[in-house]
Amino acid sequence: MKGILGRKVGMTQLFDDSGAVAPVTVIEAGPCYVTQVKAEDSDGYNAIQVGFEEVAERKLTRGQLGHLKKANVPKLRFVRELRLPSEAGHALGDVIKADVFAEGELVDVTGTSKGKGFAGGVKRHGFRGGPKTHGQSDRHRAPGSRGAGTTPGHTFPGTKGAGQMGNKRVTVQNLKVALVDAERNLIAVQGAVPGPNKGLVIIRTAAKA
Amino acid sequence: MTNALMASLQPELPEGMAEIDPGDTVRVHQRITEGRNERIQVFQGVVISMRGGKDPGASYTVRRTGSHGVGVERTFPLYSKNIDKVEVLRKTKVRRAQLYYLRDRQGKSARLKEKRFISV
């Protein structure tokens, strides 16, 4: 289990040597620093906390500064935890660079999806809406029935409907690493990644590879 | 491309590609792999369209008139690695970016006027 934090740069296309083209997402990943090591004995589970992206000291609170000082790492904007099977092999202040991953490896990428606001059922769940013709009015994007009547007398919890869409944590599994360049802090994965360009993403070894 | 990281991933143009424009007569040398053998296939015709600018997905369309006056068009990715080189045989004066009107023409009316170059 390996992981790194990064910022989504955008999508482009890469040609391989045979001339085939692949859609890839470019991620500016790392360098990350280990800011805390959590062990089964002391914390109840194994994990490392990693920080990413240097930032001016005035942008952080005293609590954050003190925490980072303990690990003797630069001032970092983001701090995230990565659960591990074992904390062994990681020490405070360790640097994680893009080359923790190799080309061809499968990874899961987690990000915060683009927010769509309060969306109707047609956009959010792919409801078909009502008929467009035959005398319909105000029914074109209606969700239809939400359930039976007097019995049971209420809408079942979890029924699909309108509501907040996007702006939520999303993980895309099993994306192939297409390109790694530790010098430029670059990782490119084949396929799309949640969130807007410049959004924070977490890249981890695929859980279900 | 706004980002330096993205710009650094820009693919390289095949030989001769930088000079082509719509209206040019070109010879496209394409590498074709058949099993273990590799050979070059040449397609010669007029560039009637270039789309996508410098985008990695950009392409261009070459039109030639085949036997019995049958038009043949092929669209190649601008940055394809299977293109060995492109030769420009003739540059012509054209007044639009897409020369689709050539599809409806043949013979005399499908001619294009050559560009005169002023040597610097």
Side-chain angles (χ1 to χ4, degrees):
Chain A
M1 171 66 208
K2 295 173 292 190
I4 193 167
L5 308 182
R7 270 188 191 272
K8 175 170 163 181
V9 175
M11 290 196 73
T12 184
Q13 296 179 317
L14 288 183
F15 290 87
D16 70 13
D17 290 330
S18 71
V21 75
V24 298
T25 305
V26 180
I27 298 165
E28 193 174 1
C32 290
Y33 302 86
V34 176
T35 54
Q36 193 181 353
V37 179
K38 295 194 175 181
E40 185 100 50
D41 305 334
S42 51
D43 304 277
Y45 62 98
N46 292 316
I48 53 168
Q49 191 191 63
V50 295
F52 168 60
E53 199 167 277
E54 291 191 32
V55 75
E57 192 172 332
R58 66 185 160 78
K59 298 258 188 190
L60 300 179
T61 65
R62 285 197 192 159
Q64 290 170 323
L65 289 170
H67 180 66
L68 294 173
K69 201 174 167 192
K70 252 188 261 172
N72 198 20
V73 296
K75 313 285 174 277
L76 300 166
R77 188 191 299 273
F78 301 108
V79 171
R80 294 289 183 275
E81 198 167 283
L82 303 169
R83 290 289 287 260
L84 302 174
S86 153
E87 90 292 354
H90 294 281
L92 269 187
D94 277 0
V95 182
I96 301 173
K97 296 197 123 194
D99 54 12
V100 290
F101 292 108
E103 281 164 31
E105 229 175 309
L106 291 180
V107 293
D108 293 345
V109 181
T110 302
T112 304
S113 60
K114 284 185 188 174
K116 309 289 182 190
F118 191 100
V122 174
K123 184 183 179 112
R124 191 169 180 229
H125 298 296
F127 291 173
R128 302 167 88 153
K132 293 186 176 69
T133 57
H134 294 292
Q136 303 291 319
S137 65
D138 308 341
R139 296 292 302 163
H140 303 301
R141 295 177 71 87
S145 170
R146 286 190 67 89
T150 315
T151 315
H154 64 89
T155 299
F156 286 113
T159 304
K160 288 178 181 175
Q164 167 68 31
M165 180 180 177
N167 191 22
K168 132 190 151 178
R169 185 182 164 106
V170 175
T171 301
V172 178
Q173 296 182 325
N174 297 330
L175 297 177
K176 201 161 126 198
V177 177
L179 190 72
V180 172
D181 187 339
E183 245 166 66
R184 289 185 286 171
N185 299 318
L186 177 154
I187 291 180
V189 295
Q190 191 170 342
V193 157
N197 291 347
K198 296 185 188 170
L200 179 72
V201 292
I202 306 169
I203 310 173
R204 275 172 297 197
T205 309
K208 297 181 190 167
Chain B
M1 299 234 177
T2 48
N3 189 286
L5 260 188
M6 287 289 249
S8 71
L9 293 176
Q10 180 76 9
E12 252 177 68
L13 277 175
E15 188 186 332
M17 199 68 86
E19 293 110 63
I20 72 168
D21 294 301
D24 293 359
T25 301
V26 294
R27 283 170 74 84
V28 181
H29 296 250
Q30 183 187 10
R31 271 191 292 270
I32 291 179
T33 312
E34 287 165 332
R36 261 175 218 185
N37 302 323
E38 200 181 79
R39 65 187 174 85
I40 300 274
Q41 190 185 65
V42 180
F43 190 81
Q44 178 176 337
V46 179
V47 177
I48 61 165
S49 153
M50 295 184 73
R51 56 182 296 276
K54 288 183 175 172
D55 193 87
S59 65
Y60 56 100
T61 303
V62 180
R63 178 183 174 85
R64 83 181 179 98
T65 308
S67 53
H68 305 294
V70 178
V72 179
E73 284 180 15
R74 290 196 62 180
T75 302
F76 299 98
L78 190 61
Y79 292 99
S80 171
K81 287 195 173 171
N82 293 328
I83 301 298
D84 186 45
K85 62 175 174 178
V86 176
E87 291 172 74
V88 179
L89 305 179
R90 182 168 178 263
K91 295 193 89 78
T92 60
K93 193 175 152 190
V94 291
R95 299 181 68 159
R96 54 211 68 214
Q98 267 84 36
L99 307 178
Y100 295 139
Y101 68 88
L102 290 178
R103 289 173 177 169
D104 305 323
R105 305 217 185 157
Q106 50 179 350
K108 257 188 181 180
S109 63
R111 287 173 305 174
L112 296 169
K113 221 178 202 174
E114 190 145 6
K115 236 184 210 169
R116 305 229 174 253
F117 293 97
I118 305 156
S119 51
V120 179

